[in-house]
Amino acid sequence: MRPQKVLDIEILTGLSKIFRSKGYEGASLKDLSDATGLKKASLYHRFPDGKKGMADAVLNHINNWVDEKVFFELLNTEKTPEERLKTGLEAVRVLYEGGEETCIFRALSMQSSLELFENQISGGMKKWINTFKTLGLALGFSPTDAKEKAYQTLIKVQGSLIVTKGLNDITIFENTLVQIENEYLDQ
Amino acid sequence: MRPQKVLDIEILTGLSKIFRSKGYEGASLKDLSDATGLKKASLYHRFPDGKKGMADAVLNHINNWVDEKVFFELLNTEKTPEERLKTGLEAVRVLYEGGEETCIFRALSMQSSLELFENQISGGMKKWINTFKTLGLALGFSPTDAKEKAYQTLIKVQGSLIVTKGLNDITIFENTLVQIENEYLDQ
DNA sequence: GTCTATAGCTAGATAGAC
DNA sequence: GTCTATCTAGCTATAGAC
């Protein structure tokens, strides 16, 4: 077999950059080709299902990253709940590059693309909520409060990313992360 | 002059439905034509700047609606601040059809379209924040708290709309509105 | 596995009749 | 003011050489 000119991880990084910034409809195969360094036909060789397959791969890649970096930290029982919160939110900061990057869920959840990716998006959001709920319980919240706090955490992260983009001000994202941490610890 | 087959308001309603659900790149002229009942060439007669002009008109239309229905209520000094909050949030509920509709800011703020509409989007968000800050002051918040509360209100509305779509559950939006109201009154 | 070349289609936009 | 017909460019996707 001929060696891969571009590594899988590099391809996923390039595809991710385009889908997250332009959305599904806004991402053209030319964009995806330029960002990966592979010609269109080569992308189709790697992803026989075409653009849909590329976005699926990006969603899985990011969901896996979040599993390993964010959720693993939040659930790592070798640390105190307070430490878990801190390192988990630090991973969230990295995931969104301090507010510079959008969320892939947001980028792929306009009507037409939401139909294609609803399982991965709703699954990812549910896992997010369940994980933060678990952390809330470890911090002493009641089940009801922990669940509500988890929803609010997801809502605030998503909302702050939107407002950060709209006002072109990454301090909004950063302030929100700090506020989330304080609210978990303040109770 | 030949009479308009379709009224301006009906056109704006149709265009708005498409742009809000599909985003700028995802909205085709065929979509826009079908939704308004006007053929493509007729749309170009009404909007000489084409698709960009149509989205501009939708943004202005919605910004005006929000001015008249949401901000007017929030600032209406003939009522108590508590009443203003209640009726203002009720208008927000109508704006997003209880969580069924997306926000036009969100729909038009992917990278490529954000460049086209950044002034209207950032202007609209700033006005939102200033108006809620004014209400917070009327409710007795300190300037710092009122400003922070206003940011959080915008963030929560935007975030709850994203999560509502992702989980296909409009109770998330509704719960968020109720929570916003309670937090303004609880202090 | 990657490429050039191209198919087939739809996009946004325009010309000109009525 | 609205329409049919059409233009060009770009789109997603595929064929087949290397």
Side-chain angles (χ1 to χ4, degrees):
Chain A
M1 281 198 266
R2 199 171 284 205
Q4 291 183 339
K5 180 184 164 189
V6 181
L7 295 175
D8 284 358
I9 183 66
E10 295 172 334
I11 294 179
L12 288 171
T13 303
L15 297 179
S16 172
K17 212 164 194 79
I18 300 299
F19 281 124
R20 286 173 78 169
S21 63
K22 301 201 167 191
Y24 188 71
E25 294 80 7
S28 74
L29 284 175
K30 181 175 185 333
D31 293 329
L32 299 167
S33 169
D34 291 347
T36 54
L38 281 183
K39 296 295 178 185
K40 285 188 281 183
S42 305
L43 282 175
Y44 272 87
H45 178 80
R46 300 277 192 106
F47 303 95
D49 291 339
K51 192 172 159 181
K52 164 87 162 71
M54 299 178 213
D56 273 327
V58 166
L59 268 169
N60 286 333
H61 174 61
I62 296 181
N63 276 341
N64 286 339
W65 192 97
V66 172
D67 271 345
E68 292 170 19
K69 307 286 183 177
V70 182
F71 299 161
F72 174 81
E73 289 297 337
L74 291 173
L75 300 174
N76 179 5
T77 48
E78 294 183 1
K79 298 180 179 176
T80 67
E82 289 78 6
E83 287 170 333
R84 278 180 252 166
L85 174 65
K86 194 180 181 65
T87 52
L89 289 178
E90 183 54 40
V92 171
R93 203 172 266 118
V94 173
L95 175 62
Y96 299 115
E97 295 185 14
E100 302 277 3
E101 274 283 353
T102 61
C103 178
I104 189 70
F105 293 160
R106 181 261 168 123
L108 299 182
S109 62
M110 292 309 290
Q111 193 195 60
S112 5
S113 50
L114 181 59
E115 294 167 7
L116 297 175
F117 307 111
E118 55 186 350
N119 288 339
Q120 281 140 302
I121 292 173
S122 72
M125 287 190 175
K126 282 176 191 161
K127 202 160 184 180
W128 186 289
I129 291 166
N130 284 332
T131 307
F132 272 95
K133 181 184 173 187
T134 300
L135 180 77
L137 292 172
L139 282 166
F141 286 74
S142 73
T144 308
D145 286 354
K147 187 178 170 192
E148 180 56 27
K149 200 85 185 158
Y151 271 95
Q152 288 305 315
T153 301
L154 178 58
I155 286 169
K156 284 182 184 179
V157 168
Q158 293 293 334
S160 67
L161 288 170
I162 300 278
V163 179
T164 290
K165 280 288 170 202
L167 293 177
N168 188 31
D169 178 2
I170 60 169
T171 67
I172 292 167
F173 175 71
E174 177 57 27
N175 289 344
T176 299
L177 281 191
V178 171
Q179 193 201 67
I180 288 171
E181 184 174 354
N182 289 338
E183 286 180 358
Y184 268 104
L185 302 178
D186 274 1
Q187 52 132 358
Chain B
M1 283 199 266
R2 199 171 285 204
Q4 290 183 337
K5 180 183 164 189
V6 180
L7 296 176
D8 285 357
I9 183 65
E10 294 171 331
I11 294 180
L12 288 171
T13 303
L15 297 179
S16 172
K17 214 167 194 77
I18 299 299
F19 282 123
R20 286 173 77 169
S21 62
K22 301 200 168 191
Y24 188 70
E25 293 80 8
S28 74
L29 283 174
K30 182 176 184 332
D31 292 330
L32 299 166
S33 169
D34 290 348
T36 54
L38 281 183
K39 297 294 178 185
K40 284 190 282 184
S42 305
L43 282 175
Y44 271 86
H45 179 81
R46 300 279 191 106
F47 303 93
D49 292 338
K51 192 172 160 180
K52 163 85 162 70
M54 298 179 211
D56 273 327
V58 167
L59 267 168
N60 286 333
H61 173 61
I62 295 181
N63 276 341
N64 285 340
W65 192 97
V66 172
D67 271 345
E68 292 171 19
K69 306 288 184 176
V70 182
F71 299 161
F72 174 82
E73 289 297 338
L74 291 173
L75 300 174
N76 178 5
T77 48
E78 293 184 1
K79 298 180 180 175
T80 68
E82 290 78 7
E83 286 169 333
R84 278 180 250 166
L85 174 64
K86 194 181 181 66
T87 52
L89 290 178
E90 183 55 40
V92 172
R93 203 173 266 117
V94 172
L95 175 61
Y96 299 115
E97 294 185 16
E100 302 276 3
E101 274 283 354
T102 61
C103 177
I104 190 69
F105 293 161
R106 180 261 168 123
L108 299 183
S109 62
M110 292 310 288
Q111 193 196 61
S112 8
S113 50
L114 180 59
E115 294 167 7
L116 298 175
F117 307 111
E118 54 186 351
N119 287 338
Q120 281 140 304
I121 292 174
S122 72
M125 286 190 175
K126 283 175 192 162
K127 204 159 184 179
W128 187 288
I129 291 165
N130 283 333
T131 306
F132 272 95
K133 181 184 174 187
T134 301
L135 180 76
L137 292 172
L139 281 165
F141 286 74
S142 73
T144 307
D145 286 355
K147 187 180 171 191
E148 179 56 28
K149 200 86 187 160
Y151 271 94
Q152 288 305 316
T153 302
L154 178 57
I155 286 170
K156 284 182 184 178
V157 168
Q158 293 293 333
S160 67
L161 288 169
I162 301 278
V163 180
T164 291
K165 280 288 170 202
L167 293 177
N168 188 30
D169 178 2
I170 60 169
T171 66
I172 292 167
F173 175 71
E174 178 57 27
N175 289 344
T176 299
L177 280 191
V178 171
Q179 193 202 67
I180 288 171
E181 183 173 355
N182 289 337
E183 286 180 358
Y184 268 104
L185 301 179
D186 274 0
Q187 53 134 355

